[in-house]
Amino acid sequence: MEVPLNSIPSASWPRADFSRVPYEVFTSAEIYRQENARIFRGPVWNYLCHEVELPNTGDFVTTWAGETQVVTTRAGDGTLHAFENSCAHRGAALTTEVRGNMQRITCPYHLWTYSLKGDLTGVPLSRGVKGKGGMPECFDKKDHGLNRLRVATCGGLVFGSFSVAPPPLEEFLGPHSLSQIQRLLVQRKPRVLGYLRQRIPGNWKLYNENVRDPYHGSLLHQFQVSFGLQQPTMRGGIKLDADLKNTWNHSILSATDKDLDRDNRKVMAEAYEGTGKFNPDMKMADPALTQVPLDLGDGYKTTILSIFPALIVAQVDNTYAIRHLRPKGPDMVELHITYLGFESDTPQQTHDKLLTANFIGPSGYISLEDGEALRLVQSGVRHRRPGDHEVLEMGGVGAIEDTDYLSQEISIRGFWSYYHRIMGLDAPEDAGVRP
C-alpha cells in the first residue's frame, strides 16, 4: 500500500517562496521511492541520449530514468524508440551493454525476440513439441511488447516519458531552454569526444542545487575565480522562463568583458579579503589550459542550462558537455558526462576542447570540488533533527524571477517550487511570502 507523501513529517515546507527546504528530502528512503514514481515515471521528459550516438540502424544506448534502466534504439526506418530494459516474459534485463548495435533484441533467458521498435516477434517453442506444451490459443504476440516510453527530440537531445499524456516537449522545455539548445547544440553539428562517469555520495537533488547555484561558483572554486572563468563581478545572471511560470528549467549565464574585468580587480580583492580564494597572481606551469579562445564569439564564459529533472547542458569556457544524473539511492548519484566537439572543428579546436575538458569531471580543476561539496552536505544533513531546514535567501526572498547578477540562490528555489508541485505536496505552511 502506497504511503501518502503528505503524511510523512519531512514533507513540511515552512515558506511559500521555498527559501526553506527540509533536510529530510535528501535522506528519506520513502521520499526517494516516491520521487521515482511521481517524477521519473511521471509527467516529465527524461533525457535519454543524443541522436549522434545512434547514427545507424540497430544502434542502441542504455541509460537510466531514475531507478529504471532504459534502452533507446534506432529502427530501420530511422525512427527512435525507447523501452524498459526488461523482458515482457519474466522481466530479465535484455542487455548489459552500455551501447552497441543489434538487428533484433533477444532476451538471454528464454530467447524471446523483439523488433528494434519493441514489438514481440518471436517466442521459441510457442507451439510446443510433438503436440504438447506451447502457448495457449489466446496468446497474442501483439499484447506482449516491451514497456515503451514516449519519445521526442529537440536539437538532437532525445527524451522519453512514461506518462500517457506528457506535456509537449517544447512547452516543457520553455523558450529560453530552446534558445540555449539552439545556441549550444544546433548551430553546429555535435560529435562525441568521450565519456566520463562519477559516483558522488550525495542525493541527486543536491547536484540539481549545485548547478543552479552561481553563488558557490565564486567561493568554492579558487581556480575558477583566480583564472577568471567565473567571478561575481562578471556580466551575467539567471534566466528562468518565469513569464511562462516555468521555473524548473533555467540557465546560469556569465560573460567576460576585459575592460570591466580589469576595473573590477580592486572590487574583487575587497570582496574576497581574508578568504584566500581570490589569487589573481596564481600561475600555471603550462598556462595553455586557461588561454583557449572561446569559439562561439558571443563572450559567454559559462552557460549552465539545467532541465528538470536530471539533465544539464553546459559550456564552461570552451568545454561543451551533457551531464546526466542517475540516482542510485537517497545518498548516491551517478553523474554521466558526454563531452562534445563539433564536426566543423579544426584539429586545433578539437585539441583545445580535449584540453579544457580538464575543467569538468571527477578530477577536473573545477568539478573535483563540487563532488566533495555534495559529500560534505550529505554527511552533514544525515543526522540533523527532524524539521531542520536549509536556508535559501541569497539574492533575496519572495518572487522567483530572473536576475542580472550572480550572487543569488533564486534559481534553486525555482527547482524546489516545481519539485513540490509535481510531488503532489500540500501548499507550504505560510500563507504567502516571508515578511
Side-chain angles (χ1 to χ4, degrees), residues 124-315:
L125 307 181
S126 62
R127 297 183 179 179
V129 177
K130 296 183 177 180
K132 297 181 179 181
M135 303 301 285
E137 289 289 333
C138 61
F139 181 81
D140 190 336
K141 290 196 290 289
K142 293 196 297 293
D143 299 331
H144 298 277
L146 298 175
N147 189 17
R148 283 173 269 213
L149 289 74
R150 284 160 178 76
V151 173
T153 64
C154 178
L157 300 172
V158 182
F159 295 87
S161 180
F162 289 98
S163 173
V164 296
L169 178 58
E170 291 193 356
E171 178 182 310
F172 181 79
L173 294 172
H176 177 68
S177 294
L178 293 174
S179 70
Q180 284 299 308
I181 291 170
Q182 174 72 30
R183 172 179 173 267
L184 294 170
L185 300 178
V186 175
Q187 59 179 316
R188 298 172 295 173
K189 185 176 180 179
R191 63 189 183 94
V192 175
L193 296 181
Y195 302 94
L196 276 177
R197 290 189 298 169
Q198 176 184 11
R199 282 211 164 193
I200 302 173
N203 187 277
W204 68 278
K205 299 182 297 297
L206 289 175
Y207 197 91
N208 267 296
E209 285 198 332
N210 179 273
V211 292
R212 288 168 167 81
D213 173 16
Y215 176 36
H216 88 276
S218 56
L219 297 169
L220 177 66
H221 305 304
Q222 183 173 23
F223 184 93
Q224 196 167 11
V225 175
S226 296
F227 287 101
L229 273 72
Q230 183 174 321
Q231 297 175 342
T233 54
M234 282 182 167
R235 291 186 296 112
I238 61 167
K239 179 69 176 174
L240 291 162
D241 278 334
D243 54 323
L244 297 180
K245 303 192 183 305
N246 174 343
T247 59
W248 53 90
N249 303 328
H250 95 291
S251 278
I252 294 173
L253 306 167
S254 64
T256 185
D257 183 326
K258 292 183 178 179
D259 293 333
L260 184 61
D261 293 345
R262 282 193 295 269
D263 294 340
N264 281 326
R265 181 162 173 160
K266 181 180 179 182
V267 176
M268 288 286 294
E270 292 174 351
Y272 282 85
E273 186 176 2
T275 67
K277 282 291 183 180
F278 179 56
N279 184 0
D281 297 320
M282 184 181 291
K283 306 293 183 186
M284 297 187 72
D286 180 0
L289 179 66
T290 62
Q291 296 175 354
V292 173
L294 299 174
D295 61 9
L296 273 180
D298 55 14
Y300 282 104
K301 298 281 284 181
T302 303
T303 56
I304 309 293
L305 173 62
S306 300
I307 298 173
F308 192 92
L311 171 64
I312 302 96
V313 182
Q315 170 220 344

Side-chain angles (χ1 to χ4, degrees), residues 307-352:
I307 298 173
F308 192 92
L311 171 64
I312 302 96
V313 182
Q315 170 220 344
V316 179
D317 254 42
N318 228 37
T319 301
Y320 299 81
I322 297 170
R323 309 181 202 175
H324 183 220
L325 301 177
R326 301 169 178 185
K328 301 299 177 184
D331 56 2
M332 184 70 68
V333 64
E334 182 179 283
L335 173 62
H336 186 277
I337 305 176
T338 304
Y339 292 93
L340 299 176
F342 301 93
E343 289 193 354
S344 59
D345 286 347
T346 66
Q348 182 62 49
Q349 287 174 320
T350 298
H351 171 271
D352 289 346

